[in-house]
Amino acid sequence: SVAKYMLASYAVFGMVGASLFGVGIGLAAELGAGWLELKRASPMPPIAYLLAKCSSAMAFGVLIVSLLTLMGITIGHVSLTLPEYARMIGLTVVGVIPFACMGMCLALLVPFSSAPGIANMIYLPMSFCGGLWIPIMMLPKAMQQFALLLPTYHLAQMMLSVFGYGSAGTASSHWFGLLGFTLLMLGVGGVAFRRHEQNS
């Protein structure tokens, strides 16, 4: 039971890192180096570039979850069915999107020299407060209430529900939580992108 719980929570931890750092830090580096200015002169639409970044983060997320699952089965003696694994992969593909949008916002709002440090300042506390390192019910009540605002919490609860360990809320509330966060990040990213276009 503990091994399954850790597999689900650390799968979320890995996919969040892949999307936040893969999209955020990579995009910030290309912005800082001026590569995006060059790409704007090409016929490639900007949405295609962002979709390629998001697809890359999805691929790395699937790879991370698959490797963790393999380690869980071989080392942790986790009993996992094929439908459970398929649900984990499906959640990974969808769950990358909110954090890829967050990475995009990070790249547009902070310079590349500061992006890795700020990403870690967001990633690690958000993971801890979202219940990815220790079960959410073991955190203080105030932190449990704060976790309701975090996308890591909602994604972790859905991943845990694959094994029957979801502790609070309904599936629809977690989906709406992730959707709301995604729309918020897209809105902030859109404003930041327009400001970047005007300044350049």
Side-chain angles (χ1 to χ4, degrees), residues 4 9 19 32 34 46 52 57 71 89 123 156 160 165 185-186 195 200:
K4 274 191 173 183
S9 60
S19 53
M71 291 177 61
I89 295 300
Y123 174 48
L160 288 166
Y165 292 144
M185 291 296 103
L186 287 175
R195 289 182 59 186
S200 60

Side-chain angles (χ1 to χ4, degrees), residues 82-167:
L82 189 58
E84 288 174 337
Y85 174 71
R87 287 182 64 191
M88 288 181 68
I89 295 300
L91 280 173
T92 299
V93 171
V94 178
V96 159
I97 297 173
F99 301 97
C101 295
M102 186 178 183
M104 177 190 67
C105 289
L106 180 69
L108 291 169
L109 292 173
V110 300
F112 171 64
S113 58
S114 305
I118 293 176
N120 273 306
M121 289 174 62
I122 296 171
Y123 174 48
L124 299 179
M126 189 169 61
S127 298
F128 176 76
C129 296
L132 301 187
W133 296 350
I134 60 174
I136 192 71
M137 67 282 297
M138 296 178 66
L139 296 176
K141 289 292 184 181
M143 294 182 68
Q144 292 183 35
Q145 294 298 317
F146 176 69
L148 298 175
L149 303 175
L150 300 176
T152 46
Y153 166 78
H154 295 291
L155 187 57
Q157 292 304 306
M158 289 194 292
M159 188 66 78
L160 288 166
S161 70
V162 171
F163 303 115
Y165 292 144
S167 61

Side-chain angles (χ1 to χ4, degrees), residues 46-68:
I47 189 66
Y49 171 77
L50 293 175
L51 287 175
K53 284 283 186 185
C54 192
S55 299
S56 175
M58 287 179 182
F60 275 105
V62 168
L63 179 62
I64 288 169
V65 172
S66 298
L67 289 175
L68 283 173

